[in-house]
Amino acid sequence: VILLNAKKLAAEKAVEFVHNGMIVGLGTGSTAYYAILKIAERIKEGLNIQAVASSKQSEDLANQLGIPLVPFSEIDSIDITIDGADEVDHRFNLIKGGGGALLREKILAASSKKFIVIIDESKFVNQLGKFPLPIEIVPFASELTIKKLELLQCKPTIRQQSGKEYITDNGNLIVDCVFEELNPNVLNEQIKSIPGVVEHGLFIKMTDKVIIGKNDGTLRYL
Ligand code: A5P
């Protein structure tokens, strides 16, 4: 039996859209990992690109693999960003941030000419919200911010790691929110309007292409 890796399949397909001279946004997580490996492989074969990383984790990986990185301050825009997601619906709305990198990921996506999302089929859903929505908040007065989030009918949990509060690359907290009903367009505005919220993991109208790797070894494109 050949074991197929649906994440790897989608990731490697996406890297076919990377061409010489491009500035490439590197995503974060176990699916983006395979895209980064493939980009490194193509660089060894002669591909000439520069990359921007969406997290410390992806930056470290890119450095280890010899992918040339540029600081964000030195570029005007990104040609293509390839990143994973936690959930994707039919309208190309996403939940991201399971890995905690949502803020930088969203900054990259918003500055990218092409934003390609790579997932395995388990993440393609009819309705977003089974996966708790990650929301990045500043530590100052976090109790008050969380109370305001609760008014939006959500059950918030402060993310923990090794018995302590998880801290993002930007020094903030992540609150994982389960909503009674998740209306992406409405919540997109409501959550952002709460002072203390830095960013949330809903990515609305940002995605150009979704590549789904299936367990039977085939691909599906949206
Ligand atoms: C990282 O912050 C997230 O947005 C990831 O893109 C998301 O959690 C997907 O990760 P996996 O590919 O590991 O499932």
Side-chain angles (χ1 to χ4, degrees):
V1 188
I2 303 166
L3 270 184
L4 292 161
N5 184 333
K7 293 181 178 186
K8 187 169 182 235
L9 205 65
E12 295 193 342
K13 186 73 201 174
V15 175
E16 290 179 16
F17 293 88
V18 175
H19 305 297
N20 269 329
M22 282 185 163
I23 295 181
V24 181
L26 306 177
T28 299
S30 59
T31 316
Y33 167 82
Y34 290 111
I36 297 173
L37 288 192
K38 188 71 190 172
I39 289 168
E41 197 181 305
R42 286 192 51 202
I43 287 174
K44 290 213 173 70
E45 293 163 6
L47 177 74
N48 179 19
I49 57 120
Q50 288 183 301
V52 185
S54 59
S55 61
K56 188 78 188 56
Q57 188 188 318
S58 295
E59 185 182 322
D60 291 346
L61 181 63
N63 278 327
Q64 277 169 33
L65 296 169
I67 299 175
L69 290 168
V70 266
F72 221 104
S73 55
E74 287 177 18
I75 58 167
D76 296 323
S77 70
I78 299 169
D79 293 297
I80 183 172
T81 292
I82 300 171
D83 201 353
D86 301 300
E87 279 183 349
V88 179
D89 74 10
H90 292 87
R91 296 191 171 82
F92 280 35
N93 293 327
L94 320 175
I95 286 184
K96 285 181 57 54
L102 65 103
L103 172 60
R104 295 190 187 188
E105 289 175 340
K106 200 180 266 192
I107 293 173
L108 260 67
S111 310
S112 296
K113 292 177 193 150
K114 204 178 186 98
F115 181 49
I116 303 187
V117 172
I118 48 178
I119 52 168
D120 66 69
E121 57 187 329
S122 69
K123 292 168 166 177
F124 186 50
V125 298
N126 281 321
Q127 166 70 45
L128 297 180
K130 207 160 165 206
F131 191 94
L133 178 68
I135 302 175
E136 180 159 346
I137 68 170
V138 292
F140 176 77
S142 59
E143 296 82 0
L144 289 180
T145 307
I146 291 168
K147 281 201 182 105
K148 296 232 162 67
L149 285 171
E150 279 172 328
L151 294 176
L152 301 177
Q153 311 304 324
C154 83
K155 276 206 183 66
T157 310
I158 300 177
R159 192 178 294 183
Q160 307 285 319
Q161 192 177 46
S162 322
K164 281 188 291 199
E165 285 174 345
Y166 172 86
I167 304 292
T168 69
D169 285 349
N170 321 296
N172 297 313
L173 303 172
I174 296 276
V175 184
D176 292 300
C177 284
V178 178
F179 287 89
E180 272 171 31
E181 201 178 325
L182 197 156
N183 180 326
N185 293 315
V186 174
L187 277 181
N188 187 28
E189 301 297 327
Q190 286 179 328
I191 299 172
K192 263 317 257 294
S193 70
I194 299 174
V197 168
V198 181
E199 195 48 84
H200 59 72
L202 282 169
F203 284 46
I204 310 289
K205 293 200 184 100
M206 300 184 93
T207 304
D208 297 298
K209 189 187 269 301
V210 180
I211 303 180
I212 306 176
K214 298 181 36 165
N215 298 327
D216 65 4
T218 60
L219 289 161
R220 183 173 168 196
Y221 306 90
L222 304 178

mmCIF file of all heavy atoms in Angstrom, residues 126-173:
data_model
loop_
_atom_site.group_PDB
_atom_site.id
_atom_site.type_symbol
_atom_site.label_atom_id
_atom_site.label_comp_id
_atom_site.label_asym_id
_atom_site.label_seq_id
_atom_site.Cartn_x
_atom_site.Cartn_y
_atom_site.Cartn_z
ATOM 1 N N ASN A 126 -18.954 22.977 4.744
ATOM 2 C CA ASN A 126 -20.118 23.749 4.297
ATOM 3 C C ASN A 126 -20.250 25.048 5.081
ATOM 4 O O ASN A 126 -20.636 26.075 4.550
ATOM 5 C CB ASN A 126 -21.394 22.930 4.480
ATOM 6 C CG ASN A 126 -21.553 21.931 3.360
ATOM 7 O OD1 ASN A 126 -21.255 22.233 2.204
ATOM 8 N ND2 ASN A 126 -21.989 20.736 3.709
ATOM 9 N N GLN A 127 -19.935 24.946 6.349
ATOM 10 C CA GLN A 127 -20.145 26.083 7.247
ATOM 11 C C GLN A 127 -18.915 26.223 8.147
ATOM 12 O O GLN A 127 -18.518 25.275 8.810
ATOM 13 C CB GLN A 127 -21.416 25.804 8.073
ATOM 14 C CG GLN A 127 -21.635 26.687 9.268
ATOM 15 C CD GLN A 127 -21.976 28.119 8.871
ATOM 16 O OE1 GLN A 127 -22.795 28.352 7.989
ATOM 17 N NE2 GLN A 127 -21.325 29.084 9.507
ATOM 18 N N LEU A 128 -18.318 27.422 8.148
ATOM 19 C CA LEU A 128 -17.160 27.656 9.010
ATOM 20 C C LEU A 128 -17.586 27.678 10.474
ATOM 21 O O LEU A 128 -18.693 28.100 10.788
ATOM 22 C CB LEU A 128 -16.509 29.006 8.691
ATOM 23 C CG LEU A 128 -15.904 29.235 7.306
ATOM 24 C CD1 LEU A 128 -15.309 30.646 7.235
ATOM 25 C CD2 LEU A 128 -14.824 28.209 6.984
ATOM 26 N N GLY A 129 -16.705 27.250 11.353
ATOM 27 C CA GLY A 129 -16.962 27.476 12.772
ATOM 28 C C GLY A 129 -16.833 26.266 13.668
ATOM 29 O O GLY A 129 -16.843 26.403 14.887
ATOM 30 N N LYS A 130 -16.712 25.097 13.077
ATOM 31 C CA LYS A 130 -16.477 23.932 13.917
ATOM 32 C C LYS A 130 -15.085 24.079 14.549
ATOM 33 O O LYS A 130 -14.873 23.777 15.708
ATOM 34 C CB LYS A 130 -16.553 22.665 13.070
ATOM 35 C CG LYS A 130 -16.952 21.458 13.855
ATOM 36 C CD LYS A 130 -17.471 20.368 12.939
ATOM 37 C CE LYS A 130 -17.513 19.062 13.689
ATOM 38 N NZ LYS A 130 -17.401 17.922 12.791
ATOM 39 N N PHE A 131 -14.166 24.537 13.744
ATOM 40 C CA PHE A 131 -12.830 24.852 14.247
ATOM 41 C C PHE A 131 -12.926 26.180 14.999
ATOM 42 O O PHE A 131 -13.387 27.180 14.438
ATOM 43 C CB PHE A 131 -11.850 24.971 13.071
ATOM 44 C CG PHE A 131 -10.412 25.023 13.508
ATOM 45 C CD1 PHE A 131 -9.642 23.873 13.562
ATOM 46 C CD2 PHE A 131 -9.825 26.229 13.882
ATOM 47 C CE1 PHE A 131 -8.329 23.911 13.985
ATOM 48 C CE2 PHE A 131 -8.504 26.278 14.309
ATOM 49 C CZ PHE A 131 -7.755 25.114 14.355
ATOM 50 N N PRO A 132 -12.521 26.235 16.264
ATOM 51 C CA PRO A 132 -12.631 27.490 17.023
ATOM 52 C C PRO A 132 -11.846 28.622 16.339
ATOM 53 O O PRO A 132 -10.726 28.409 15.898
ATOM 54 C CB PRO A 132 -12.007 27.139 18.374
ATOM 55 C CG PRO A 132 -12.082 25.656 18.471
ATOM 56 C CD PRO A 132 -11.968 25.142 17.059
ATOM 57 N N LEU A 133 -12.468 29.788 16.239
ATOM 58 C CA LEU A 133 -11.835 30.908 15.543
ATOM 59 C C LEU A 133 -10.743 31.534 16.410
ATOM 60 O O LEU A 133 -11.022 32.040 17.494
ATOM 61 C CB LEU A 133 -12.882 31.971 15.204
ATOM 62 C CG LEU A 133 -12.337 33.210 14.510
ATOM 63 C CD1 LEU A 133 -11.849 32.878 13.100
ATOM 64 C CD2 LEU A 133 -13.382 34.308 14.465
ATOM 65 N N PRO A 134 -9.484 31.518 15.928
ATOM 66 C CA PRO A 134 -8.407 32.137 16.691
ATOM 67 C C PRO A 134 -8.451 33.663 16.569
ATOM 68 O O PRO A 134 -8.606 34.194 15.476
ATOM 69 C CB PRO A 134 -7.135 31.587 16.032
ATOM 70 C CG PRO A 134 -7.591 30.395 15.229
ATOM 71 C CD PRO A 134 -8.976 30.751 14.781
ATOM 72 N N ILE A 135 -8.359 34.334 17.699
ATOM 73 C CA ILE A 135 -8.368 35.799 17.716
ATOM 74 C C ILE A 135 -7.161 36.267 18.515
ATOM 75 O O ILE A 135 -6.951 35.837 19.652
ATOM 76 C CB ILE A 135 -9.678 36.333 18.353
ATOM 77 C CG1 ILE A 135 -10.899 35.810 17.573
ATOM 78 C CG2 ILE A 135 -9.678 37.863 18.394
ATOM 79 C CD1 ILE A 135 -12.245 36.180 18.177
ATOM 80 N N GLU A 136 -6.346 37.124 17.889
ATOM 81 C CA GLU A 136 -5.139 37.628 18.569
ATOM 82 C C GLU A 136 -5.501 38.903 19.307
ATOM 83 O O GLU A 136 -6.028 39.846 18.714
ATOM 84 C CB GLU A 136 -4.018 37.868 17.541
ATOM 85 C CG GLU A 136 -2.737 38.376 18.163
ATOM 86 C CD GLU A 136 -1.505 38.132 17.293
ATOM 87 O OE1 GLU A 136 -1.560 37.344 16.322
ATOM 88 O OE2 GLU A 136 -0.462 38.744 17.609
ATOM 89 N N ILE A 137 -5.235 38.944 20.621
ATOM 90 C CA ILE A 137 -5.552 40.135 21.417
ATOM 91 C C ILE A 137 -4.315 40.583 22.194
ATOM 92 O O ILE A 137 -3.450 39.773 22.510
ATOM 93 C CB ILE A 137 -6.737 39.894 22.394
ATOM 94 C CG1 ILE A 137 -6.352 38.901 23.508
ATOM 95 C CG2 ILE A 137 -7.970 39.380 21.653
ATOM 96 C CD1 ILE A 137 -7.405 38.812 24.628
ATOM 97 N N VAL A 138 -4.252 41.869 22.509
ATOM 98 C CA VAL A 138 -3.113 42.350 23.297
ATOM 99 C C VAL A 138 -3.297 41.909 24.746
ATOM 100 O O VAL A 138 -4.428 41.810 25.231
ATOM 101 C CB VAL A 138 -2.931 43.892 23.209
ATOM 102 C CG1 VAL A 138 -2.495 44.323 21.820
ATOM 103 C CG2 VAL A 138 -4.181 44.620 23.622
ATOM 104 N N PRO A 139 -2.188 41.622 25.442
ATOM 105 C CA PRO A 139 -2.309 41.161 26.831
ATOM 106 C C PRO A 139 -2.919 42.217 27.760
ATOM 107 O O PRO A 139 -3.601 41.877 28.716
ATOM 108 C CB PRO A 139 -0.864 40.866 27.246
ATOM 109 C CG PRO A 139 -0.122 40.681 25.958
ATOM 110 C CD PRO A 139 -0.808 41.557 24.955
ATOM 111 N N PHE A 140 -2.721 43.503 27.458
ATOM 112 C CA PHE A 140 -3.268 44.563 28.305
ATOM 113 C C PHE A 140 -4.798 44.482 28.355
ATOM 114 O O PHE A 140 -5.441 44.449 27.313
ATOM 115 C CB PHE A 140 -2.833 45.939 27.766
ATOM 116 C CG PHE A 140 -3.426 47.089 28.518
ATOM 117 C CD1 PHE A 140 -2.921 47.454 29.756
ATOM 118 C CD2 PHE A 140 -4.502 47.784 27.994
ATOM 119 C CE1 PHE A 140 -3.480 48.516 30.451
ATOM 120 C CE2 PHE A 140 -5.075 48.845 28.687
ATOM 121 C CZ PHE A 140 -4.565 49.216 29.919
ATOM 122 N N ALA A 141 -5.347 44.435 29.543
ATOM 123 C CA ALA A 141 -6.813 44.391 29.751
ATOM 124 C C ALA A 141 -7.480 43.249 28.981
ATOM 125 O O ALA A 141 -8.608 43.389 28.496
ATOM 126 C CB ALA A 141 -7.447 45.729 29.368
ATOM 127 N N SER A 142 -6.779 42.134 28.883
ATOM 128 C CA SER A 142 -7.313 41.021 28.085
ATOM 129 C C SER A 142 -8.666 40.528 28.621
ATOM 130 O O SER A 142 -9.529 40.114 27.852
ATOM 131 C CB SER A 142 -6.307 39.872 28.044
ATOM 132 O OG SER A 142 -6.030 39.426 29.349
ATOM 133 N N GLU A 143 -8.876 40.627 29.946
ATOM 134 C CA GLU A 143 -10.152 40.177 30.531
ATOM 135 C C GLU A 143 -11.318 40.970 29.937
ATOM 136 O O GLU A 143 -12.366 40.416 29.616
ATOM 137 C CB GLU A 143 -10.162 40.354 32.059
ATOM 138 C CG GLU A 143 -9.137 39.520 32.813
ATOM 139 C CD GLU A 143 -7.739 40.145 32.846
ATOM 140 O OE1 GLU A 143 -7.557 41.250 32.266
ATOM 141 O OE2 GLU A 143 -6.832 39.534 33.429
ATOM 142 N N LEU A 144 -11.113 42.288 29.787
ATOM 143 C CA LEU A 144 -12.170 43.145 29.238
ATOM 144 C C LEU A 144 -12.427 42.823 27.775
ATOM 145 O O LEU A 144 -13.570 42.766 27.323
ATOM 146 C CB LEU A 144 -11.780 44.627 29.367
ATOM 147 C CG LEU A 144 -11.798 45.218 30.778
ATOM 148 C CD1 LEU A 144 -11.382 46.686 30.741
ATOM 149 C CD2 LEU A 144 -13.181 45.065 31.391
ATOM 150 N N THR A 145 -11.350 42.620 27.038
ATOM 151 C CA THR A 145 -11.483 42.295 25.613
ATOM 152 C C THR A 145 -12.260 40.985 25.454
ATOM 153 O O THR A 145 -13.141 40.866 24.606
ATOM 154 C CB THR A 145 -10.092 42.178 24.963
ATOM 155 O OG1 THR A 145 -9.372 43.366 25.257
ATOM 156 C CG2 THR A 145 -10.184 42.005 23.463
ATOM 157 N N ILE A 146 -11.932 40.026 26.299
ATOM 158 C CA ILE A 146 -12.598 38.720 26.222
ATOM 159 C C ILE A 146 -14.086 38.844 26.572
ATOM 160 O O ILE A 146 -14.940 38.220 25.947
ATOM 161 C CB ILE A 146 -11.863 37.691 27.116
ATOM 162 C CG1 ILE A 146 -10.497 37.379 26.494
ATOM 163 C CG2 ILE A 146 -12.680 36.420 27.285
ATOM 164 C CD1 ILE A 146 -9.550 36.609 27.377
ATOM 165 N N LYS A 147 -14.414 39.717 27.536
ATOM 166 C CA LYS A 147 -15.837 39.932 27.865
ATOM 167 C C LYS A 147 -16.591 40.489 26.663
ATOM 168 O O LYS A 147 -17.735 40.122 26.407
ATOM 169 C CB LYS A 147 -15.957 40.898 29.060
ATOM 170 C CG LYS A 147 -15.704 40.197 30.378
ATOM 171 C CD LYS A 147 -16.316 40.964 31.543
ATOM 172 C CE LYS A 147 -15.995 40.239 32.842
ATOM 173 N NZ LYS A 147 -14.933 40.927 33.622
ATOM 174 N N LYS A 148 -15.935 41.375 25.927
ATOM 175 C CA LYS A 148 -16.591 41.953 24.732
ATOM 176 C C LYS A 148 -16.773 40.874 23.650
ATOM 177 O O LYS A 148 -17.775 40.871 22.937
ATOM 178 C CB LYS A 148 -15.761 43.113 24.183
ATOM 179 C CG LYS A 148 -15.656 44.290 25.135
ATOM 180 C CD LYS A 148 -16.055 45.582 24.447
ATOM 181 C CE LYS A 148 -16.377 46.695 25.433
ATOM 182 N NZ LYS A 148 -15.215 47.176 26.198
ATOM 183 N N LEU A 149 -15.824 39.981 23.576
ATOM 184 C CA LEU A 149 -15.958 38.880 22.607
ATOM 185 C C LEU A 149 -17.132 37.989 22.989
ATOM 186 O O LEU A 149 -17.898 37.545 22.128
ATOM 187 C CB LEU A 149 -14.668 38.055 22.553
ATOM 188 C CG LEU A 149 -13.488 38.684 21.809
ATOM 189 C CD1 LEU A 149 -12.222 37.876 22.027
ATOM 190 C CD2 LEU A 149 -13.797 38.785 20.315
ATOM 191 N N GLU A 150 -17.294 37.765 24.292
ATOM 192 C CA GLU A 150 -18.397 36.909 24.763
ATOM 193 C C GLU A 150 -19.755 37.487 24.379
ATOM 194 O O GLU A 150 -20.708 36.752 24.136
ATOM 195 C CB GLU A 150 -18.312 36.715 26.281
ATOM 196 C CG GLU A 150 -17.299 35.651 26.651
ATOM 197 C CD GLU A 150 -17.037 35.563 28.144
ATOM 198 O OE1 GLU A 150 -17.108 36.603 28.839
ATOM 199 O OE2 GLU A 150 -16.754 34.460 28.622
ATOM 200 N N LEU A 151 -19.824 38.830 24.295
ATOM 201 C CA LEU A 151 -21.093 39.469 23.891
ATOM 202 C C LEU A 151 -21.471 39.115 22.454
ATOM 203 O O LEU A 151 -22.613 39.274 22.051
ATOM 204 C CB LEU A 151 -20.993 40.992 24.053
ATOM 205 C CG LEU A 151 -20.856 41.503 25.494
ATOM 206 C CD1 LEU A 151 -20.677 43.010 25.521
ATOM 207 C CD2 LEU A 151 -22.072 41.087 26.319
ATOM 208 N N LEU A 152 -20.508 38.642 21.677
ATOM 209 C CA LEU A 152 -20.800 38.214 20.304
ATOM 210 C C LEU A 152 -21.219 36.735 20.265
ATOM 211 O O LEU A 152 -21.174 36.101 19.218
ATOM 212 C CB LEU A 152 -19.579 38.429 19.402
ATOM 213 C CG LEU A 152 -19.048 39.860 19.281
ATOM 214 C CD1 LEU A 152 -17.792 39.896 18.420
ATOM 215 C CD2 LEU A 152 -20.115 40.760 18.684
ATOM 216 N N GLN A 153 -21.635 36.222 21.410
ATOM 217 C CA GLN A 153 -22.127 34.835 21.512
ATOM 218 C C GLN A 153 -21.036 33.815 21.213
ATOM 219 O O GLN A 153 -21.243 32.911 20.408
ATOM 220 C CB GLN A 153 -23.330 34.580 20.583
ATOM 221 C CG GLN A 153 -24.449 35.594 20.662
ATOM 222 C CD GLN A 153 -24.980 35.737 22.074
ATOM 223 O OE1 GLN A 153 -25.060 34.769 22.819
ATOM 224 N NE2 GLN A 153 -25.285 36.969 22.465
ATOM 225 N N CYS A 154 -19.894 34.006 21.825
ATOM 226 C CA CYS A 154 -18.856 32.985 21.659
ATOM 227 C C CYS A 154 -18.352 32.503 22.999
ATOM 228 O O CYS A 154 -18.478 33.190 24.007
ATOM 229 C CB CYS A 154 -17.710 33.504 20.803
ATOM 230 S SG CYS A 154 -16.522 34.473 21.715
ATOM 231 N N LYS A 155 -17.829 31.298 22.968
ATOM 232 C CA LYS A 155 -17.172 30.734 24.145
ATOM 233 C C LYS A 155 -15.665 30.844 23.930
ATOM 234 O O LYS A 155 -15.105 30.121 23.111
ATOM 235 C CB LYS A 155 -17.547 29.255 24.293
ATOM 236 C CG LYS A 155 -18.851 29.019 24.994
ATOM 237 C CD LYS A 155 -18.820 27.614 25.648
ATOM 238 C CE LYS A 155 -20.125 27.276 26.318
ATOM 239 N NZ LYS A 155 -21.225 27.142 25.333
ATOM 240 N N PRO A 156 -15.019 31.751 24.631
ATOM 241 C CA PRO A 156 -13.590 31.971 24.412
ATOM 242 C C PRO A 156 -12.704 31.148 25.354
ATOM 243 O O PRO A 156 -13.047 30.942 26.517
ATOM 244 C CB PRO A 156 -13.420 33.459 24.718
ATOM 245 C CG PRO A 156 -14.539 33.787 25.649
ATOM 246 C CD PRO A 156 -15.577 32.710 25.582
ATOM 247 N N THR A 157 -11.602 30.682 24.844
ATOM 248 C CA THR A 157 -10.592 30.005 25.660
ATOM 249 C C THR A 157 -9.237 30.628 25.335
ATOM 250 O O THR A 157 -8.880 30.737 24.152
ATOM 251 C CB THR A 157 -10.505 28.501 25.291
ATOM 252 O OG1 THR A 157 -11.812 27.957 25.290
ATOM 253 C CG2 THR A 157 -9.629 27.741 26.257
ATOM 254 N N ILE A 158 -8.516 31.033 26.346
ATOM 255 C CA ILE A 158 -7.172 31.566 26.094
ATOM 256 C C ILE A 158 -6.248 30.391 25.777
ATOM 257 O O ILE A 158 -6.184 29.424 26.537
ATOM 258 C CB ILE A 158 -6.630 32.340 27.315
ATOM 259 C CG1 ILE A 158 -7.559 33.515 27.643
ATOM 260 C CG2 ILE A 158 -5.206 32.844 27.061
ATOM 261 C CD1 ILE A 158 -7.148 34.291 28.871
ATOM 262 N N ARG A 159 -5.576 30.456 24.647
ATOM 263 C CA ARG A 159 -4.727 29.336 24.226
ATOM 264 C C ARG A 159 -3.549 29.147 25.185
ATOM 265 O O ARG A 159 -2.927 30.119 25.620
ATOM 266 C CB ARG A 159 -4.206 29.550 22.803
ATOM 267 C CG ARG A 159 -3.576 28.288 22.220
ATOM 268 C CD ARG A 159 -3.113 28.485 20.811
ATOM 269 N NE ARG A 159 -4.215 28.721 19.884
ATOM 270 C CZ ARG A 159 -4.061 28.862 18.570
ATOM 271 N NH1 ARG A 159 -2.861 28.782 18.045
ATOM 272 N NH2 ARG A 159 -5.110 29.072 17.787
ATOM 273 N N GLN A 160 -3.293 27.881 25.509
ATOM 274 C CA GLN A 160 -2.197 27.539 26.422
ATOM 275 C C GLN A 160 -1.145 26.723 25.680
ATOM 276 O O GLN A 160 -1.461 26.034 24.717
ATOM 277 C CB GLN A 160 -2.720 26.682 27.586
ATOM 278 C CG GLN A 160 -3.904 27.268 28.341
ATOM 279 C CD GLN A 160 -3.525 28.399 29.259
ATOM 280 O OE1 GLN A 160 -2.504 28.331 29.938
ATOM 281 N NE2 GLN A 160 -4.320 29.457 29.273
ATOM 282 N N GLN A 161 0.063 26.809 26.154
ATOM 283 C CA GLN A 161 1.131 25.963 25.630
ATOM 284 C C GLN A 161 2.061 25.617 26.789
ATOM 285 O O GLN A 161 2.532 26.526 27.475
ATOM 286 C CB GLN A 161 1.899 26.704 24.538
ATOM 287 C CG GLN A 161 2.828 25.804 23.752
ATOM 288 C CD GLN A 161 3.519 26.554 22.634
ATOM 289 O OE1 GLN A 161 4.026 27.661 22.839
ATOM 290 N NE2 GLN A 161 3.554 25.979 21.454
ATOM 291 N N SER A 162 2.296 24.335 26.985
ATOM 292 C CA SER A 162 3.140 23.849 28.086
ATOM 293 C C SER A 162 2.763 24.499 29.419
ATOM 294 O O SER A 162 3.624 24.985 30.156
ATOM 295 C CB SER A 162 4.620 24.091 27.811
ATOM 296 O OG SER A 162 4.936 23.895 26.471
ATOM 297 N N GLY A 163 1.481 24.554 29.705
ATOM 298 C CA GLY A 163 1.004 25.048 30.995
ATOM 299 C C GLY A 163 1.040 26.555 31.164
ATOM 300 O O GLY A 163 0.747 27.071 32.246
ATOM 301 N N LYS A 164 1.392 27.265 30.090
ATOM 302 C CA LYS A 164 1.416 28.730 30.177
ATOM 303 C C LYS A 164 0.590 29.314 29.034
ATOM 304 O O LYS A 164 0.255 28.619 28.083
ATOM 305 C CB LYS A 164 2.868 29.238 30.049
ATOM 306 C CG LYS A 164 3.668 29.107 31.338
ATOM 307 C CD LYS A 164 5.025 29.803 31.204
ATOM 308 C CE LYS A 164 5.901 29.039 30.247
ATOM 309 N NZ LYS A 164 7.287 29.238 30.262
ATOM 310 N N GLU A 165 0.306 30.617 29.149
ATOM 311 C CA GLU A 165 -0.405 31.252 28.036
ATOM 312 C C GLU A 165 0.476 31.255 26.794
ATOM 313 O O GLU A 165 1.656 31.586 26.865
ATOM 314 C CB GLU A 165 -0.800 32.686 28.413
ATOM 315 C CG GLU A 165 -1.970 32.702 29.376
ATOM 316 C CD GLU A 165 -2.292 34.094 29.895
ATOM 317 O OE1 GLU A 165 -1.448 35.003 29.748
ATOM 318 O OE2 GLU A 165 -3.382 34.249 30.464
ATOM 319 N N TYR A 166 -0.111 30.876 25.673
ATOM 320 C CA TYR A 166 0.621 30.898 24.400
ATOM 321 C C TYR A 166 0.854 32.357 23.994
ATOM 322 O O TYR A 166 -0.052 33.185 24.057
ATOM 323 C CB TYR A 166 -0.213 30.173 23.329
ATOM 324 C CG TYR A 166 0.336 30.276 21.929
ATOM 325 C CD1 TYR A 166 1.293 29.375 21.466
ATOM 326 C CD2 TYR A 166 -0.100 31.286 21.074
ATOM 327 C CE1 TYR A 166 1.793 29.481 20.184
ATOM 328 C CE2 TYR A 166 0.403 31.391 19.783
ATOM 329 C CZ TYR A 166 1.347 30.488 19.344
ATOM 330 O OH TYR A 166 1.846 30.601 18.074
ATOM 331 N N ILE A 167 2.079 32.678 23.602
ATOM 332 C CA ILE A 167 2.404 34.043 23.170
ATOM 333 C C ILE A 167 2.767 34.016 21.683
ATOM 334 O O ILE A 167 3.592 33.211 21.248
ATOM 335 C CB ILE A 167 3.586 34.623 23.989
ATOM 336 C CG1 ILE A 167 3.292 34.581 25.497
ATOM 337 C CG2 ILE A 167 3.912 36.056 23.549
ATOM 338 C CD1 ILE A 167 2.192 35.510 25.978
ATOM 339 N N THR A 168 2.149 34.919 20.909
ATOM 340 C CA THR A 168 2.403 34.947 19.462
ATOM 341 C C THR A 168 3.766 35.565 19.149
ATOM 342 O O THR A 168 4.412 36.145 20.023
ATOM 343 C CB THR A 168 1.325 35.784 18.720
ATOM 344 O OG1 THR A 168 1.496 37.159 19.082
ATOM 345 C CG2 THR A 168 -0.079 35.337 19.075
ATOM 346 N N ASP A 169 4.157 35.483 17.887
ATOM 347 C CA ASP A 169 5.407 36.108 17.434
ATOM 348 C C ASP A 169 5.401 37.620 17.692
ATOM 349 O O ASP A 169 6.442 38.265 17.681
ATOM 350 C CB ASP A 169 5.599 35.887 15.920
ATOM 351 C CG ASP A 169 6.029 34.457 15.582
ATOM 352 O OD1 ASP A 169 6.378 33.697 16.507
ATOM 353 O OD2 ASP A 169 6.014 34.109 14.384
ATOM 354 N N ASN A 170 4.198 38.165 17.899
ATOM 355 C CA ASN A 170 4.067 39.610 18.116
ATOM 356 C C ASN A 170 3.856 39.961 19.582
ATOM 357 O O ASN A 170 3.512 41.091 19.918
ATOM 358 C CB ASN A 170 2.883 40.135 17.289
ATOM 359 C CG ASN A 170 2.820 39.468 15.926
ATOM 360 O OD1 ASN A 170 3.730 39.633 15.125
ATOM 361 N ND2 ASN A 170 1.800 38.667 15.691
ATOM 362 N N GLY A 171 4.028 38.975 20.460
ATOM 363 C CA GLY A 171 3.920 39.225 21.904
ATOM 364 C C GLY A 171 2.495 39.306 22.426
ATOM 365 O O GLY A 171 2.262 39.836 23.514
ATOM 366 N N ASN A 172 1.543 38.778 21.676
ATOM 367 C CA ASN A 172 0.136 38.847 22.086
ATOM 368 C C ASN A 172 -0.410 37.479 22.488
ATOM 369 O O ASN A 172 0.277 36.472 22.371
ATOM 370 C CB ASN A 172 -0.702 39.399 20.922
ATOM 371 C CG ASN A 172 -0.306 40.811 20.564
ATOM 372 O OD1 ASN A 172 -0.157 41.655 21.442
ATOM 373 N ND2 ASN A 172 -0.130 41.081 19.282
ATOM 374 N N LEU A 173 -1.676 37.489 22.953
ATOM 375 C CA LEU A 173 -2.365 36.245 23.312
ATOM 376 C C LEU A 173 -3.258 35.795 22.159
ATOM 377 O O LEU A 173 -3.639 36.604 21.313
ATOM 378 C CB LEU A 173 -3.270 36.487 24.533
ATOM 379 C CG LEU A 173 -2.614 37.040 25.796
ATOM 380 C CD1 LEU A 173 -3.684 37.402 26.815
ATOM 381 C CD2 LEU A 173 -1.653 35.990 26.375
#
